[in-house]
């Protein structure tokens, strides 16, 4: 409510880029007798004598909950990779990917001397009453997706043009892949966004501009941007190449991946739903293993 809070919220959301969800502790009954909570450090899968099936999981406190049929790893990209590296004595795994983000911001949203949004500029422009926000996907090679904020043209001003105030452009189809490393008991990620694809950033942003012009008018005013300025999206996937593929652990027939590490290829959308699907598939495979 009010132009000041609107502008401040817009600037904060577009520059942070990281939307935090509820912690897993808010989503499960931590008092359930069948639930054991353990820090991730030191967790690894326990194998049978043949080394081809999992019989349980060794937790940080040394306890070993037994697996009657199957094991589903759903510790997130970093956590699942760490468990697999500890299990198999590996120091690195490949295939890590992340959606790169190119932020596009109109100078109107740049912070003032006090570090807050330029609320006076928003008021003077009259945009606070003509803001439109949305999300779009493009069918181009980069599969760019964007959340955007537009100031519509003032109908009372002849020749006034709509103005793109902000866009959070994600490149959802890139060929570059990185690694996850386990060093000195800590996990590290190593990857180059859009590596080997120098034009991918420009193509993604321009495809979003074209889609917005088709929707809001060819006279849409767009701000300058830098294709070299890439931001982490935290939309991760893969990262288990060398130990697992397509949601299955290669050498353990009853261990399945129920998170984004199950996806070797980038998904053309947000990873929340995709990880849920991976969890459902892993659960079905685990149940089938009990038959």
């Amino acid at each position: 409510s009010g132009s000041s809070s609107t502008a401040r919220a817009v600037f904060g959301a577009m520059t942070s880029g990281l939307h935090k969800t509820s912690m897993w502790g808010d989503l499960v009954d931590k008092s359930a007798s069948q639930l054991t909570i353990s820090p991730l450090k030191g967790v690894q899968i326990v194998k049978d004598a043949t080394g081809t099936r999992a019989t349980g999981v060794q937790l940080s406190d040394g306890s070993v909950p037994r697996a009657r049929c199957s094991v589903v790893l759903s510790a997130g990209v970093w956590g699942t990779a760490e468990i697999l590296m500890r299990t198999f004595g590996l120091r690195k795994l490949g295939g890590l990917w992340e959606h790169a983000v190119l932020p596009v911001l109109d100078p109107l949203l740049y912070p003032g001397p006090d570090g807050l949004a330029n609320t006076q500029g928003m008021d003077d422009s009259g945009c606070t009453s003509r803001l439109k926000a949305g999300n779009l996907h493009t069918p181009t090679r980069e599969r760019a997706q964007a959340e955007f904020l537009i100031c519509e043209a003032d109908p009372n001003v002849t020749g006034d043009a709509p103005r793109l105030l902000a866009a959070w452009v994600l490149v959802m189809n890139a060929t570059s892949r990185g690694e996850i490393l386990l060093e000195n008991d800590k996990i590290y990620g190593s990857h180059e966004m859009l590596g080997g694809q120098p034009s991918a950033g420009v193509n993604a942003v321009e495809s979003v501009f074209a889609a917005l012009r088709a929707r809001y008018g060819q006279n849409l005013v767009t701000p300058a941007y830098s294709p070299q300025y890439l931001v982490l999206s935290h939309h991760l996937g893969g990262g288990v190449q060398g130990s697992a593929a397509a949601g299955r652990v290669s050498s353990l027939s009853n261990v399945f991946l129920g998170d984004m590490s199950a996806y070797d290829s980038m998904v053309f959308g947000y990873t929340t739903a995709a990880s849920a699907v991976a969890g459902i598939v892993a659960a079905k495979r685990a149940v089938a293993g009990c038959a």
Side-chain angles (χ1 to χ4, degrees):
S1 59
S3 60
S4 177
S5 61
T6 299
R8 190 173 290 121
V10 167
F11 183 77
M14 295 308 297
T15 54
S16 66
L18 175 59
H19 303 279
K20 296 181 180 178
T21 57
S22 299
M23 292 296 289
W24 59 270
D26 298 330
L27 305 177
V28 299
D29 178 7
K30 289 183 284 187
S31 65
S33 59
Q34 69 271 32
L35 175 66
T36 300
I37 298 177
S38 171
L40 184 60
K41 184 177 179 180
V43 174
Q44 58 183 300
I45 300 168
V46 178
K47 296 171 281 188
D48 66 5
T50 68
T52 60
R53 288 182 61 82
T55 59
V57 179
Q58 179 177 308
L59 303 181
S60 302
D61 61 3
S63 62
V64 183
R66 311 302 294 180
R68 182 167 61 88
C69 301
S70 306
V71 171
V72 174
L73 298 181
S74 186
V77 169
W78 304 115
T80 292
E82 180 176 351
I83 292 172
L84 291 174
M85 282 189 281
R86 292 186 186 282
T87 298
F88 298 111
L90 302 172
R91 292 190 59 190
K92 67 179 180 180
L93 293 172
L96 175 67
W97 58 261
E98 179 172 3
H99 292 154
V101 174
L102 293 95
V104 178
L105 288 174
D106 187 285
L108 187 63
L109 296 182
Y110 289 179
D114 57 359
L116 299 176
N118 182 8
T119 55
Q120 186 61 50
M122 287 287 288
D123 291 342
D124 293 344
S125 70
C127 280
T128 52
S129 62
R130 305 196 310 276
L131 292 176
K132 295 290 183 182
N135 180 286
L136 59 80
H137 293 256
T138 66
T140 57
R141 183 179 59 181
E142 289 74 25
R143 299 286 182 173
Q145 176 180 320
E147 297 174 359
F148 62 87
L149 183 70
I150 293 238
C151 175
E152 290 193 311
D154 188 341
N156 300 314
V157 178
T158 302
D160 191 42
R163 181 177 178 179
L164 176 63
L165 296 179
W168 197 247
V169 180
L170 294 101
V171 181
M172 295 194 165
N173 187 28
T175 58
S176 58
R177 296 292 184 269
E179 297 176 329
I180 298 180
L181 303 97
L182 179 62
E183 295 180 358
N184 300 320
D185 218 29
K186 294 183 179 180
I187 285 291
Y188 299 89
S190 174
H191 65 291
E192 178 186 0
M193 289 184 170
L194 307 185
Q197 295 176 280
S199 62
V202 172
N203 293 343
V205 175
E206 293 300 328
S207 68
V208 168
F209 285 178
L212 289 172
R213 289 191 177 102
R215 185 179 299 185
Y216 292 97
Q218 294 301 313
N219 62 338
L220 175 70
V221 177
T222 57
Y225 67 93
S226 170
Q228 283 74 44
Y229 181 50
L230 301 175
V231 179
L232 298 174
S233 68
H234 305 281
H235 297 181
L236 298 164
V240 294
Q241 189 177 77
S243 65
R248 297 177 182 270
V249 175
S250 304
S251 59
L252 296 173
S253 61
N254 64 334
V255 181
F256 310 103
L257 308 184
D259 54 33
M260 286 306 298
S261 60
Y263 293 89
D264 302 326
S265 301
M266 285 188 172
V267 296
F268 302 154
Y270 289 119
T271 52
T272 309
S275 60
V277 170
I280 294 170
V281 171
K284 286 185 174 182
R285 288 171 171 173
V287 170
C290 290

